[in-house]
């Protein structure tokens, strides 16, 4: 099972130098995948958790492709209704080619109503548009594949039944976000999924977290490692660790996240 990291590409502490350092640390620690998130219009409902500066994902990943060599690069998740699917296919194909076949394209429906309004995209139609665009995207990516780079894996983000059905319908990996291990286990065992690639929190503590609603990835290093092993047993091909907990001020202090990632990487390599 591979491990990835969700890197904050937003917030008051984020700038090109910090993004470059994130990439250096993620790749240097041996993580397999670096992912960033997506917003186009930083409306008030977005800015509460993901304030400006917000670095556009395709631009950011294209730049980071030139500063890295082995780590895969991806979106968790691209809000699919925001862009025409042919434009997404073109940008994704070019990024995959320029990075040597390292792109993972995570997509989702989005949920920021004010942002949808700012972009002139009907909020109530976002599910239908995602299905329509995803169908076009898959066909276009297959047609544009050049045979010289790896195919682009598509992950469908979201914790709803609709997201699970979408992943199954389009033969994509299901990419649930920040859930508990019992809930993930129930969802995986009750559905025949093409693939499973969850994003979990990364919150390292010095004492065990005994809350029955403990999110996977939170607790002592022993609890986190056990969560990862349980997800591996559930068939996860990749687990993405998310060290951002919702406070934009965290982006001014990335060293705490880097220390937690170092602890996981060090112990994971020694786990039988």
């Amino acid at each position: 099972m591979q491990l990835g990291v969700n890197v904050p590409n937003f917030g008051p502490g984020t700038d090109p130098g910090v993004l470059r350092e994130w990439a250096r640390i993620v790749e240097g620690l041996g993580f397999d995948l670096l992912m960033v998130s997506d917003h186009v219009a930083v409306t008030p409902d977005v800015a509460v958790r993901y304030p400006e500066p917000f670095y556009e994902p395709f631009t950011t990943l294209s730049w980071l492709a030139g500063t890295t060599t082995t780590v895969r690069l991806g979106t968790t998740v691209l809000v699919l209704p925001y862009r025409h699917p042919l434009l997404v296919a073109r940008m994704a194909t070019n990024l995959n080619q320029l990075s040597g076949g390292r792109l993972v394209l995570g997509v989702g429906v989005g949920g920021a109503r004010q942002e949808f309004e700012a972009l002139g995209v009907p909020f109530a139609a976002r599910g239908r548009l995602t299905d329509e665009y995803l169908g076009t995207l898959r066909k276009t990516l297959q047609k544009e594949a050049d045979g010289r780079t790896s195919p682009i894996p598509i992950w469908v983000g979201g914790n709803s039944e609709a997201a699970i059905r979408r992943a199954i319908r389009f033969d994509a990996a299901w990419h649930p976000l920040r859930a508990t291990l019992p809930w993930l286990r129930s969802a995986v065992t009750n559905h025949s999924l093409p693939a499973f690639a969850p994003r979990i929190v990364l919150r390292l503590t010095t004492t065990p977290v005994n809350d029955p609603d403990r999110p996977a990835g939170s607790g002592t290093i022993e609890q986190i490692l056990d969560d990862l092993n349980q997800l591996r047993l559930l068939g996860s091909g990749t687990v993405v660790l998310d060290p951002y907990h919702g406070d934009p001020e965290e982006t001014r202090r990335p060293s705490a996240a880097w220390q937690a990632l170092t602890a996981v990487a060090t112990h994971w390599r020694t786990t039988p």
Side-chain angles (χ1 to χ4, degrees):
M1 185 179 77
Q2 296 191 331
L3 293 184
V5 180
N6 182 31
V7 169
N9 54 318
F10 53 83
T14 299
D15 60 27
V18 172
L19 286 168
R20 188 185 299 112
E21 187 66 7
W22 268 104
R24 185 189 69 81
I25 288 172
V26 168
E27 186 169 62
L29 288 172
F31 286 99
D32 304 286
L33 174 63
L34 182 158
M35 306 193 90
V36 297
S37 56
D38 177 37
H39 284 288
V40 176
V42 184
T43 48
D45 53 348
V46 172
V48 172
R49 289 175 61 92
Y50 311 106
E52 294 183 292
F54 201 108
Y55 291 85
E56 194 278 327
F58 281 113
T59 307
T60 303
L61 294 176
S62 296
W63 178 63
L64 291 178
T67 68
T68 57
T69 56
T70 59
V71 70
R72 292 190 296 162
L73 307 161
T75 54
T76 176
V77 291
L78 192 79
V79 183
L80 203 54
Y82 287 170
R83 302 169 181 85
H84 194 286
L86 296 181
L87 175 62
V88 173
R90 170 61 58 209
M91 292 190 294
T93 297
N94 289 165
L95 174 51
N96 195 50
Q97 292 167 335
L98 293 168
S99 66
R102 289 190 279 150
L103 180 63
V104 175
L105 188 61
V107 302
V109 300
R113 184 182 292 270
Q114 293 174 358
E115 187 175 22
F116 273 84
E117 292 173 353
L119 295 171
V121 180
F123 184 78
R126 67 194 189 282
R128 175 183 60 79
L129 289 172
T130 297
D131 288 342
E132 177 185 330
Y133 287 8
L134 190 51
T136 301
L137 178 62
R138 286 195 67 92
K139 291 178 182 177
T140 307
L141 289 178
Q142 291 170 358
K143 185 172 65 175
E144 294 194 356
D146 59 11
R148 296 189 298 272
T149 53
S150 302
I152 301 173
I154 295 179
W155 296 0
V156 172
N159 294 10
S160 66
E161 282 292 323
I164 296 175
R165 292 194 300 269
R166 187 170 291 117
I168 294 171
R169 175 184 172 187
F170 291 99
D171 194 29
W174 179 46
H175 182 49
L177 313 174
R178 303 174 69 89
T180 66
L181 190 59
W183 184 85
L184 289 168
R185 182 179 292 110
S186 175
V188 170
T189 55
N190 288 328
H191 298 87
S192 181
L193 297 166
F196 175 48
R199 189 179 96 197
I200 65 173
V201 304
L202 175 59
R203 189 190 294 272
L204 183 61
T205 63
T206 56
T207 57
V209 178
N210 298 315
D211 187 338
D213 295 324
R214 177 183 70 88
S218 61
T220 62
I221 189 64
E222 290 79 15
Q223 287 181 299
I224 295 170
L225 292 174
D226 184 64
D227 289 341
L228 292 174
N229 278 313
Q230 293 301 316
L231 291 170
R232 177 166 54 183
L233 292 173
L234 284 175
S236 177
T238 304
V239 173
V240 179
L241 301 172
D242 187 355
Y244 178 67
H245 307 302
D247 179 3
E249 288 300 308
E250 294 176 40
T251 63
R252 300 186 191 272
R253 304 181 296 274
S255 58
W258 296 342
Q259 290 170 5
L261 290 168
T262 300
V264 171
T266 302
H267 288 84
W268 181 250
R269 283 196 293 265
T270 61
T271 301

